[in-house]
Amino acid sequence: MGLTNRTDKSKRWFGLRGGWLTFWITFMCATDMTLFGYDQGVFSGVVISEDYLTTHGLHGPEKTNLLSIITAIYDIGCFLGAIVAFTVGEQLGRKSTILLGTTFMAVGAALQTSSFSPAHMIVARIVSGIGNGINTSTAPIFQTETASASWRGRLVILEMTSNILGFLLSNWINYGLSFVDSPVSWRLPLALQFVFIALLYATVPWLPESPRWLIAHDRVDEAAVIIADLQPLTDPPAAPDDPHVVAQKREIMFSVAYERENGLRWRDLLSPKQPPSTSAGTKTIRRLLLGAGTQVMQQLGGINILSYYLPSLLITSVGLSDSTARLVSACSAVTYLLAAALAAPLVERHGRRVMMMVSSAIQFVCFLLLTILLYLAQKPGYAYQHQVASASVVFFFIYYMGFGLGMLGIPWLYPTEINSLPMRTKGVAIATAANWIVNFMVVEVTPIGVQTLGWRFYIVWTVLNAVFVPLIWLVYPETGRQPFYFTVNGGENECNTLTELVIADRTLEDLDAYFRENPPLLVFRDKDAISIKRPAKYIEMQQHDIAEAREGGRDVEVAVDGKSQ
């Protein structure tokens, strides 16, 4: 039972409760995502390092295929890591899974730093990727399942802002070390991964496990303690028998029981004919596809063309020098970070759907203008080739800003919200695996595409982003919430009591209830599906549960694996 059995609250989680406990969970998840972002950006400087290319024998256009394989094979490792999380994550729990992934990343970082041959680096990249795939499949779930509904979206978006912080750090480190003509120029950036790995080892072991995972594994008493400890601080602090804690516990237990009774088995998912008894169920396949779809759209939007290769693109397509290309990449990462930071409040105020559509629309415009400008820059005899090539740099910056506003964080948040509790680990792992396999495709084809197609390569990403906007509008339900306000003396104030917070926020269990109603595939006409405010019927249901618990009503018996809780 671990720390949850201790009666001395000052010793449980080192005495942290409420917002401070959520802060340290967020710090751990953000550190994990910072390492993810650092890994994405660091290799963009490595692949243009003269010493790296010489040491590994990668000079010349005939080595382009091998160079792209070494870079992209990391994503195959991430795909394998997502499969590992898919197969063992639900059994191990959120914390143990993250520690497993961190161990893989430590081994991979050591192998990358010490590499002296392409084969050595390929193995190192695969091992690091496995660790990152495990962690990126798990950390967003851990954050989502421990955060209050009022903070859930902002905290997961904050994690992805941390991802860009890691990306920014790696780009500036790459730029600074571009003036060093030695193995340090690429080995040191790879070795700095251990800073983040050490922070993960120092924080993960003493944090609480996800209460939703504990309930799904029949550890209800432990879960109640953690739910109470995660409540906003009050005087006295919330206890496991607090009405709000009991109401949340009941909702989770009911969702687990309903999903186990009505959800599909994995072999049913692969069957062309679904069992009649589960045809309504909880729309498991639809929810899996929606979650994975956000990750596929993120990658087919073209972000990792820039994340992995922006310095190379600026040298090849725009004609910048090595040093200038690194500096521009580092500066663009700053605007990327600022846009990602803006996304945290915007995603709650305007919802997941709107921000994904806005983000995809900006990406479409940027790729369209990049295509036109690079066409002119590469047109023989055009008098202003240098000027239009320089102008195209602006749209690399704007693309990063547009991506950071929505498609950066929401595709990691959305699968954790749209999938039901028993399917959440598997659903997020499938979404993450989809992300990494499409990521691999994009990273693999980019050097070859730029080399052989030139400006025509960018047409593909222009068309894809144009398709995503109507697709999101048609089929994606809203999973977030709008900040709740209540009236006091004629003015509006944010809710500041536990009861107001609980009833105001759309919960993960609301989504289970929505899909139990057998909603239509096209959601754009369904007000409950697309509203960023919590539908009134779910508020009424939770008010009833809280009132029943407060009045000392009979605790609802919910069967979990045949055991009455």
Side-chain angles (χ1 to χ4, degrees):
M1 297 297 181
L3 289 173
T4 56
N5 271 344
R6 297 183 181 177
T7 56
D8 187 349
K9 294 180 181 178
S10 65
K11 294 180 180 179
R12 191 167 61 231
W13 332 128
F14 295 98
L16 298 177
R17 295 174 63 90
W20 279 110
L21 184 54
T22 300
F23 169 82
W24 281 108
I25 294 172
T26 303
F27 176 81
M28 182 279 293
C29 293
T31 299
D32 182 67
M33 287 298 171
T34 304
L35 176 56
F36 169 28
Y38 186 89
D39 272 0
Q40 279 191 306
V42 73
F43 225 68
S44 67
V46 171
V47 295
I48 60 172
S49 170
E50 191 66 25
D51 185 84
Y52 168 77
L53 296 173
T54 301
T55 300
H56 292 79
L58 295 171
H59 278 293
E62 69 278 4
K63 298 291 186 178
T64 299
N65 285 349
L66 180 57
L67 187 63
S68 64
I69 288 171
I70 293 173
T71 305
I73 203 70
Y74 176 79
D75 299 317
I76 291 295
C78 293
F79 172 79
L80 295 175
I83 298 301
V84 171
F86 165 86
T87 54
V88 304
E90 191 60 33
Q91 287 71 43
L92 291 178
R94 314 309 187 214
K95 289 172 53 179
S96 296
T97 303
I98 291 174
L99 288 172
L100 175 65
T102 303
T103 301
F104 270 97
M105 296 197 79
V107 174
L111 290 172
Q112 287 186 76
T113 305
S114 61
S115 176
F116 278 95
S117 70
H120 188 158
M121 185 59 82
I122 286 172
V123 172
R125 298 280 288 166
I126 291 173
V127 173
S128 285
I130 290 172
N132 191 51
I134 292 171
N135 281 4
T136 54
S137 296
T138 309
I141 301 176
F142 191 29
Q143 181 75 84
T144 299
E145 293 185 342
T146 54
S148 66
S150 58
W151 280 93
R152 186 176 67 236
R154 278 175 282 189
L155 291 179
V156 175
I157 298 300
L158 177 62
E159 283 183 36
M160 299 316 298
T161 304
S162 302
N163 172 277
I164 306 312
L165 176 61
F167 180 75
L168 180 148
L169 288 172
S170 65
N171 274 275
W172 281 104
I173 289 169
N174 282 337
Y175 174 65
L177 291 173
S178 68
F179 300 100
V180 178
D181 186 19
S182 75
V184 172
S185 65
W186 62 275
R187 293 191 190 275
L188 178 59
L190 292 173
L192 289 176
Q193 295 174 80
F194 283 105
V195 173
F196 307 106
I197 290 168
L199 287 173
L200 288 172
Y201 278 132
T203 54
V204 175
W206 60 266
L207 292 172
E209 183 55 87
S210 159
R212 287 177 168 86
W213 181 85
L214 290 170
I215 288 176
H217 290 78
D218 307 326
R219 294 160 64 177
V220 178
D221 292 340
E222 288 181 76
V225 171
I226 295 172
I227 292 171
D229 287 346
L230 289 169
Q231 296 298 313
L233 289 176
T234 55
D235 188 17
D241 59 353
D242 184 281
H244 310 95
V245 175
V246 173
Q248 289 183 43
K249 181 183 72 174
R250 287 175 177 174
E251 286 182 0
I252 298 169
M253 291 170 64
F254 179 79
S255 291
V256 171
Y258 187 92
E259 182 69 32
R260 288 175 178 174
E261 181 179 347
N262 296 278
L264 299 177
R265 299 166 295 180
W266 281 113
R267 65 185 181 187
D268 294 331
L269 294 178
L270 301 175
S271 172
K273 185 177 181 180
Q274 302 300 333
S277 61
T278 60
S279 57
T282 55
K283 299 296 180 184
T284 303
I285 297 176
R286 177 177 167 186
R287 297 165 80 172
L288 288 172
L289 292 175
L290 287 171
T294 60
Q295 293 280 28
V296 172
M297 287 189 289
Q298 182 194 66
Q299 292 306 310
L300 291 181
I303 180 57
N304 280 314
I305 296 173
L306 276 63
S307 295
Y308 283 79
Y309 295 116
L310 183 55
S312 300
L313 293 176
L314 292 171
I315 293 169
T316 304
S317 297
V318 182
L320 301 183
S321 66
D322 180 306
S323 179
T324 304
R326 290 179 188 243
L327 179 59
V328 169
S329 297
C331 290
S332 68
V334 175
T335 61
Y336 193 4
L337 178 65
L338 293 175
L342 283 174
L346 291 175
V347 76
E348 294 295 9
R349 182 162 295 279
H350 300 292
R352 283 46 161 167
R353 280 167 47 89
V354 168
M355 293 309 296
M356 282 197 290
M357 287 189 286
V358 168
S359 187
S360 295
I362 294 172
Q363 292 170 197
F364 159 70
V365 171
C366 288
F367 268 120
L368 176 63
L369 294 174
L370 278 169
T371 302
I372 295 170
L373 291 171
L374 292 177
Y375 159 70
L376 294 173
Q378 296 169 24
K379 183 179 180 181
Y382 185 68
Y384 302 101
Q385 285 181 324
H386 177 71
Q387 288 85 346
V388 294
S390 299
S392 69
V393 174
V394 174
F395 296 101
F396 287 112
F397 277 72
I398 297 174
Y399 175 92
Y400 270 143
M401 295 173 67
F403 180 83
L405 287 173
M407 293 305 288
L408 165 67
I410 296 173
W412 294 95
L413 169 64
Y414 200 89
T416 69
E417 295 181 324
I418 198 68
N419 286 292
S420 62
L421 173 58
M423 293 295 295
R424 191 163 294 137
T425 299
K426 295 182 177 68
V428 172
I430 287 174
T432 307
N435 176 294
W436 290 117
I437 201 66
V438 179
N439 190 339
F440 169 76
M441 179 196 73
V442 172
V443 176
E444 174 69 16
V445 304
T446 294
I448 303 166
V450 171
Q451 183 177 310
T452 58
L453 298 176
W455 64 270
R456 296 174 182 84
F457 180 68
Y458 298 92
I459 296 175
V460 177
W461 317 104
T462 304
V463 173
L464 287 171
N465 279 291
V467 170
F468 295 155
V469 177
L471 178 64
I472 294 166
W473 179 69
L474 287 170
V475 302
Y476 274 83
E478 181 58 58
T479 61
R481 43 81 72 186
Q482 186 180 50
F484 175 73
Y485 294 87
F486 69 103
T487 302
V488 176
N489 297 328
E492 284 192 340
N493 299 279
E494 286 198 13
C495 54
N496 57 12
T497 71
L498 187 55
T499 299
E500 289 158 352
L501 283 168
V502 167
I503 66 171
D505 303 320
R506 190 193 302 263
T507 67
L508 298 177
E509 288 66 44
D510 286 353
L511 293 165
D512 291 333
Y514 169 74
F515 281 104
R516 285 196 292 268
E517 298 168 359
N518 195 23
L521 177 63
L522 300 179
V523 302
F524 66 97
R525 293 177 180 173
D526 185 345
K527 292 183 179 180
D528 284 344
I530 64 175
S531 172
I532 56 175
K533 294 183 178 180
R534 190 183 188 192
K537 59 185 177 183
Y538 301 133
I539 294 177
E540 292 169 3
M541 289 165 56
Q542 194 166 22
Q543 283 177 322
H544 173 77
D545 288 343
I546 293 172
E548 186 180 64
R550 180 178 287 119
E551 294 168 4
R554 181 178 59 86
D555 199 4
V556 176
E557 291 189 354
V558 181
V560 180
D561 275 356
K563 300 176 182 178
S564 180
Q565 301 289 347

